[in-house]
């Protein structure tokens, strides 16, 4: 069994690398994320062999992204975060209300129960939403999982094309070369940064923090940076490998051959994802009218995707990573602590 598993891991990684190289060759944005995602998704959908990708690889990759995000926090950015808290709260609430309204329309159009569609539409952490869905009676876990996974994949696939399209006037080659120019110019601080990142990750798991592999290194790196110890930047090749790992993981989440009523739920998931992306795009225009943010920064701050994927894209387009991280982080905690008890109260009212 171990031999078969090892062969499947090697095969999955080989296909992921080929997907990344192919997407890079034909000029698709964020190739090391989208290429492995597409390769893994196609592999799992049309092959009798089950793709295997170690969870530890994904966890380490998310820690690398968290470290990179933490480097963007400075004293100036923390002050800016404090002044932006009212806007973070306002736009988070508006986004969630928009999700609720969209879920109601889709529920009436499809006949699928409103609670399942609503939980499937909430742009929170995938694992936290699925745990919540399992706790609530009457929730269709299949619908919730498919909606959440489709939203993540749609955002990961769609947002890069929006960012590098005429709407945002970004140049993929220039943005990527700027990222590639960074180097590991000072190794000594890593002797402090790496143990701190691991310690904060373990602490986050102990206190059951949302996404501890991301928030642990992020918090450790930010605190060390604010104390005056400057951390070395991440080489482009390391970020590429981290993107490959996350792309494989996201691609493996989707298992369409295990889904009943594939066509109906797939169309529902696509429509829901497009509406959410369009809504966040419109809200990002509003945010730019209030704060002096670039178009990519405002859009990535409000995009209903995973914080790690938004950070990768922020790197690619030279967006303000601290601002993107702040808005995404605020939404994660808001959804993690506020939304579950509110939804439980709402579903009790609806069932009466």
């Amino acid at each position: 069994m171990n031999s078969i598993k090892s062969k499947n891991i090697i095969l999955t990684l080989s296909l992921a690398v080929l997907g990344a190289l192919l997407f890079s060759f034909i000029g698709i944005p964020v190739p090391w994320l989208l290429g492995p995602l597409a390769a893994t998704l196609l592999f799992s959908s049309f092959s009798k062999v089950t793709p295997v990708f170690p969870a530890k690889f994904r966890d380490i990759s998310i820690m690398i992204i968290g470290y990179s995000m933490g480097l963007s926090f400075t004293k100036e950015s923390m002050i800016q975060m404090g002044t932006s808290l009212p806007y973070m709260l306002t736009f988070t609430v508006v986004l969630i209300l928009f999700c609720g309204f969209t879920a109601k329309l889709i529920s009436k159009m499809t006949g699928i129960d409103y609670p399942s569609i609503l939980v499937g539409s909430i742009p929170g952490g995938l694992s936290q939403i699925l745990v919540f869905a399992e706790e609530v009676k009457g929730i269709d876990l299949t619908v919730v999982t498919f909606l959440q996974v489709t939203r993540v994949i749609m955002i990961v696939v769609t947002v890069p094309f929006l960012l590098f399209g005429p709407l945002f006037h970004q140049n993929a080659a220039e943005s990527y070369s700027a990222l590639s120019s960074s180097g590991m110019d000072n190794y000594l601080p890593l002797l402090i940064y790496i143990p701190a990142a691991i310690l904060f990750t373990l602490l986050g798991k102990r206190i059951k923090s949302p996404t501890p592999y991301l928030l642990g290194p992020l918090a450790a790196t930010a605190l060390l940076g604010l104390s005056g110890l400057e951390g070395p930047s991440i080489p482009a090749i390391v970020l590429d490998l981290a993107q490959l790992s996350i792309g494989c993981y996201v691609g493996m989440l989707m298992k369409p051959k295990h889904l009943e009523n594939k066509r109906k739920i797939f169309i529902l998931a696509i429509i829901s994802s497009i509406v959410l992306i369009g809504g966040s795009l419109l809200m990002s225009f509003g945010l730019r009218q209030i704060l002096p943010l670039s178009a990519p920064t405002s859009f990535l701050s409000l995009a209903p995707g995973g914080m790690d994927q938004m950070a990768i894209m922020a790197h690619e387009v030279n967006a303000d990573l601290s601002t993107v991280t702040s808005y995404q982080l605020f939404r994660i905690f808001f959804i993690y602590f506020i939304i579950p008890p509110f939804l439980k109260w709402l579903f009790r009212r609806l069932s009466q």
Side-chain angles (χ1 to χ4, degrees):
M1 290 296 292
N2 287 334
S3 175
I4 294 174
K5 184 177 179 180
S6 298
K7 289 179 180 178
N8 286 356
I9 291 173
I10 293 172
L11 179 59
T12 303
L13 287 173
S14 300
L15 290 173
V17 172
L18 286 174
L21 294 175
L22 176 62
F23 274 40
S24 180
F25 177 74
I26 61 181
I28 291 180
V30 201
W32 286 89
L33 182 70
L34 299 186
L37 188 157
T40 309
L41 178 57
L42 291 172
F43 182 33
S44 62
S45 299
F46 299 104
S47 173
K48 294 181 179 179
V49 179
T50 303
V52 177
F53 190 78
K56 289 183 179 179
F57 287 7
R58 182 215 47 186
D59 294 339
I60 292 172
S61 298
I62 291 177
M63 290 180 69
I64 291 171
I65 298 299
Y67 170 91
S68 181
M69 293 164 71
L71 291 177
S72 67
F73 282 91
T74 62
K75 291 180 181 178
E76 292 76 16
S77 66
M78 295 298 289
I79 293 172
Q80 181 183 358
M81 275 181 60
T83 59
S84 298
L85 279 175
Y87 306 117
M88 292 181 189
L89 176 60
T90 300
F91 280 94
T92 297
V93 171
V94 170
L95 179 61
I96 293 171
L97 289 175
F98 181 74
C99 292
F101 176 73
T102 303
K104 190 69 174 178
L105 289 178
I106 293 176
S107 176
K108 288 185 176 181
M109 291 168 57
T110 61
I112 300 175
D113 64 287
Y114 176 61
S116 295
I117 296 181
L118 178 59
V119 175
S121 301
I122 296 294
L126 179 64
S127 57
Q128 286 78 35
I129 293 295
L130 294 181
V131 168
F132 170 72
E134 289 177 331
E135 295 174 351
V136 180
K137 292 182 179 180
I139 295 290
D140 190 329
L141 196 59
T142 301
V143 171
V144 172
T145 303
F146 203 77
L147 283 172
Q148 287 285 341
V149 172
T150 302
R151 175 181 56 81
V152 171
I153 292 178
M154 280 288 292
I155 287 168
V156 171
V157 171
T158 306
V159 169
F161 287 96
L162 287 173
L163 289 172
F164 291 106
L167 188 63
F168 290 93
H169 305 292
Q170 293 293 321
N171 185 299
E174 290 179 4
S175 298
Y176 194 77
S177 65
L179 174 61
S180 302
S181 65
S182 63
M184 196 75 78
D185 48 8
N186 185 3
Y187 289 92
L188 187 60
L190 285 179
L191 299 176
I192 299 175
Y193 270 83
I194 291 177
I198 295 172
L199 178 62
F200 273 62
T201 301
L202 295 175
L203 179 62
K205 292 179 66 177
R206 184 69 179 269
I207 64 176
K208 297 183 178 179
S209 164
T211 58
Y213 288 101
L214 185 73
L215 297 186
L218 190 157
T221 307
L223 288 173
L224 286 171
L226 292 171
S227 71
L229 181 64
E230 184 177 352
S233 56
I234 300 290
I237 184 62
V238 177
L239 283 172
D240 287 343
L241 294 175
Q243 292 181 49
L244 181 144
S245 175
I246 293 171
C248 282
Y249 171 70
V250 175
M252 287 176 61
L253 288 176
M254 185 75 83
K255 297 179 176 64
K257 59 185 177 183
H258 296 161
L259 187 69
E260 297 180 1
N261 299 321
K262 294 185 180 80
R263 184 176 179 182
K264 183 178 181 180
I265 297 179
F266 182 72
I267 293 173
L268 161 70
I270 294 293
I271 293 173
S272 176
S273 301
I274 291 174
V275 170
L276 277 178
I277 294 170
S280 62
L281 183 61
L282 290 175
M283 282 186 277
S284 73
F285 293 147
L287 182 60
R288 287 180 63 199
Q289 303 303 313
I290 300 171
L291 298 175
L293 301 176
S294 68
T297 298
S298 61
F299 179 45
L300 290 172
S301 297
L302 300 179
M307 187 164 65
D308 50 347
Q309 292 114 39
M310 296 306 101
I312 289 170
M313 294 175 199
H315 265 301
E316 295 288 333
V317 297
N318 294 323
D320 187 335
L321 190 55
S322 63
T323 299
V324 172
T325 303
S326 300
Y327 276 79
Q328 293 284 342
L329 187 60
F330 182 88
R331 191 176 73 228
I332 285 178
F333 278 101
F334 186 88
I335 289 172
Y336 187 78
F337 291 109
I338 304 297
I339 294 301
F342 172 75
L343 288 181
K344 287 181 179 179
W345 170 84
L346 176 64
F347 295 156
R348 283 197 301 268
R349 292 291 300 270
L350 291 175
S351 62
Q352 291 177 357

